[in-house]
Amino acid sequence: MVAKVCLVTGASSGIGHATALQLLHAGHFVYGAARRVHRMAELRDAGGRTLPVDVTREEDLKQAVDTVLDECGRIDVLVNNAGAVVHGAVEDTPLAMARDLFEVNVFAAARLAQLVLPGMRQRGSGTIVNVSSIGGEVALPLGAWYYASKHALEAFSDTLRMETAQFGIDVVVIQPGIIRTDFEAGTARQLREISGGGAYRKMAEAMAGAAEAPAGHRGDQATDPGVVAATIWEAVESDRPETRYVVGWQAEALLQLNRSLSDREFDARITGPLT
């Protein structure tokens, strides 16, 4: 195996943290990027490099890429994992929150791709991994802007894959299902704050209650982020990776349900218990 230089965003927790450690332990050179640098101490202690990065800041993105290029001369792998989520009805959610969400989930990934692509093209190789979600295909109630951003990320990835294949660059989409992380720790609070007092309060409260259900209801079945990290590692080390990897609890089942039912049948299956 040839060691690759990898840049992983959102490396302070969850999938990003697990992925950075997985790639490092596999023998690659890993740079973890996140706002909360103190939460990447394990990665630093294991021999990785940590970079303070707010992915919504152009100067931070450019500085991160320049640092890796200055120290290593190349970036072989970019893992766009940093993400954010907003829960609330379309009618209730301020558009400013939606724009902020797109900055993290779509435009940051796009800008980093722009920054690493020149070097990848010159070398005739590289891998860009975009961490999406089953929400990149499936949309559920009270999360329109999150699902819209993941749909956009997947369309962006498809176009990028077709454009860059001629230069030996692979673009991979990861579609996790329900993963055991703190990513949605504020779901119930956000649902109630945005939609808990208006026309969508019944649906919001039903979803908030489900989010607050005891761990045995959902958390014990949720997939460990290490499983997703192992999938990303598989893609990074493959000579010809799949264009999409579906991984995690409920992921394949929900995607197949969405693909097999009509829109109205799927809607009824999902919203029935909530209304």
Side-chain angles (χ1 to χ4, degrees), residues 189-202:
R189 173 190 55 77
Q190 200 173 57
L191 283 165
R192 290 177 177 126
E193 286 179 356
I194 295 176
S195 292
Y200 305 91
R201 59 187 176 276
K202 182 178 179 181

Side-chain angles (χ1 to χ4, degrees), residues 2-268:
V2 177
K4 298 180 179 181
V5 179
C6 308
L7 174 59
V8 181
T9 67
S12 62
S13 64
I15 292 170
H17 183 66
T19 297
L21 288 172
Q22 174 85 43
L23 294 173
L24 183 67
H25 292 153
H28 299 293
F29 300 102
V30 176
Y31 287 76
R35 289 178 302 165
R36 299 172 295 183
V37 180
H38 65 283
R39 294 192 62 176
M40 296 188 286
E42 183 180 1
L43 175 62
R44 184 178 60 250
D45 293 344
R49 290 273 278 114
T50 60
L51 302 171
V53 174
D54 178 340
V55 297
T56 66
R57 292 170 54 87
E58 164 73 16
E59 55 268 38
D60 283 12
L61 299 179
K62 193 168 187 311
Q63 181 61 46
V65 171
D66 287 346
T67 296
V68 181
L69 293 177
D70 288 345
E71 294 181 1
C72 297
R74 70 186 197 277
I75 296 175
D76 301 305
V77 176
L78 168 64
V79 180
N80 280 314
N81 167 75
V85 65
V86 171
H87 294 285
V90 171
E91 186 176 344
D92 299 330
T93 305
L95 287 183
M97 294 181 71
R99 292 188 180 99
D100 289 345
L101 188 73
F102 266 72
E103 285 292 338
V104 176
N105 290 0
V106 182
F107 296 119
R111 183 57 182 142
L112 281 170
Q114 289 180 330
L115 291 170
V116 304
L117 278 170
M120 289 182 175
R121 277 194 299 100
Q122 290 169 10
R123 291 188 306 279
S125 66
T127 303
I128 297 175
V129 178
N130 291 329
V131 179
S132 179
S133 162
I134 54 173
E137 286 190 39
V138 178
L140 303 176
L142 305 186
W145 295 112
Y146 175 75
Y147 299 118
S149 72
K150 291 301 186 180
H151 277 60
L153 180 64
E154 296 213 11
F156 168 82
S157 301
D158 288 339
T159 293
L160 184 65
R161 183 185 68 248
M162 290 184 278
E163 291 176 351
T164 60
Q166 62 185 310
F167 303 113
I169 298 167
D170 291 308
V171 178
V172 175
V173 170
I174 306 295
Q175 296 178 306
I178 298 174
I179 309 301
R180 191 181 305 117
T181 72
D182 60 1
F183 181 64
E184 296 199 46
T187 295
R189 173 190 55 77
Q190 200 173 57
L191 283 165
R192 290 177 177 126
E193 286 179 356
I194 295 176
S195 292
Y200 305 91
R201 59 187 176 276
K202 182 178 179 181
M203 182 178 283
E205 185 54 43
M207 291 187 69
E212 291 174 329
H217 177 72
R218 167 173 162 169
D220 287 351
Q221 300 176 78
T223 300
D224 186 89
V227 176
V228 186
T231 301
I232 295 173
W233 165 69
E234 176 187 340
V236 166
E237 294 202 348
S238 174
D239 291 332
R240 187 174 174 80
E242 301 291 333
T243 58
R244 276 174 171 76
Y245 291 83
V246 179
V247 57
W249 185 54
Q250 296 280 14
E252 193 66 56
L254 193 52
L255 288 176
Q256 288 302 323
L257 185 69
N258 183 61
R259 293 164 183 167
S260 63
L261 297 180
S262 71
D263 288 343
R264 294 193 186 282
E265 288 172 333
F266 184 81
D267 292 354

